[in-house]
Amino acid sequence: DGYDGYNPLQKDYNRCVKELIADFPTNKTVLLYQLENSWGDSAITVANKILEVKSSAPDNWKDQELSIAYQKLANTYVYYGTTEQVINSAESAQALNDTLDLSYLLAQQYEQKNLYSKAIELLLSRIDSTNDTQLSYNKAILLLELGEDKKALELFQIVQKDTSLYIDNGKIA
């Protein structure tokens, strides 16, 4: 149905968001909301604004809030930046939030830089049976590509316990 995404109040919502951003340009809740709803160059602009605002009022920001900005930068730089920008942003995000796992993203970047042993080490350091199944599957595929067949198969065994994920057994073979 063409009306599934239709919201009759969308124009009012958009106007309110613009007013909110205009009235409270340095409010951390507004900035985080704006970041959550930004993509591409806009996300980079908002994330950098958060880091700029943080530098003028460092006590107002929690590490986890800043890690959101760095994570958004890392994910956006995959498409709009350099490998170094992705790595720096992802490492900053993880340093601020020790529960955040960006090891797959980082390992991909290290693989692109031909730093295979660093990619493998990073992936192996963050393998956990409680991880998101899709993330674990992606890590296993990357481990396989990096020549760590045994570790990849161990991870595939963990992944296969979750029956909700489609597994391409052709990639495993």
Side-chain angles (χ1 to χ4, degrees):
D1 190 335
Y3 292 99
D4 285 344
Y6 176 71
N7 179 354
L9 300 176
Q10 187 66 44
K11 287 182 183 176
D12 292 338
Y13 167 79
N14 291 342
R15 181 183 44 77
C16 287
V17 169
K18 283 182 182 178
E19 288 175 9
L20 188 66
I21 293 167
D23 291 346
F24 303 99
T26 60
N27 179 285
K28 75 176 182 179
T29 305
V30 172
L31 285 169
L32 289 169
Y33 179 80
Q34 186 180 9
L35 181 64
E36 185 180 322
N37 294 286
S38 298
W39 296 269
D41 291 339
S42 297
I44 293 170
T45 301
V46 175
N48 284 324
K49 184 174 181 180
I50 287 172
L51 299 176
E52 182 182 306
V53 168
K54 177 259 181 200
S55 66
S56 63
D59 295 338
N60 292 342
W61 292 85
K62 296 178 183 171
D63 287 349
Q64 187 174 5
E65 294 166 335
L66 293 172
S67 77
I68 292 168
Y70 281 113
Q71 181 180 7
K72 187 74 161 195
L73 280 172
N75 288 328
T76 305
Y77 282 146
V78 167
Y79 303 101
Y80 297 96
T82 66
T83 301
E84 285 304 317
Q85 288 173 309
V86 176
I87 290 171
N88 291 337
S89 298
E91 287 177 346
S92 295
Q94 284 192 150
L96 292 165
N97 183 350
D98 62 355
T99 62
L100 184 62
D101 182 5
L102 298 177
S103 60
Y104 175 70
L105 175 66
L106 282 164
Q108 287 178 308
Q109 302 308 307
Y110 290 132
E111 180 189 30
Q112 286 183 7
K113 293 182 70 158
N114 298 323
L115 298 172
Y116 304 118
S117 60
K118 191 164 185 166
I120 292 167
E121 177 186 333
L122 187 59
L123 287 171
L124 294 177
S125 72
R126 299 296 296 247
I127 290 179
D128 185 353
S129 63
T130 62
N131 277 356
D132 171 77
T133 307
Q134 184 66 53
L135 178 61
S136 293
Y137 176 75
N138 291 341
K139 286 181 180 184
I141 293 292
L142 187 53
L143 282 168
L144 206 57
E145 291 172 6
L146 292 168
E148 287 293 319
D149 301 352
K150 186 177 178 183
K151 292 292 184 181
L153 290 174
E154 289 174 16
L155 191 51
F156 278 126
Q157 288 175 344
I158 293 171
V159 168
Q160 286 181 328
K161 292 177 184 174
D162 183 348
T163 58
S164 66
L165 178 70
Y166 168 75
I167 297 174
D168 183 355
N169 289 319
K171 285 190 176 185
I172 299 171

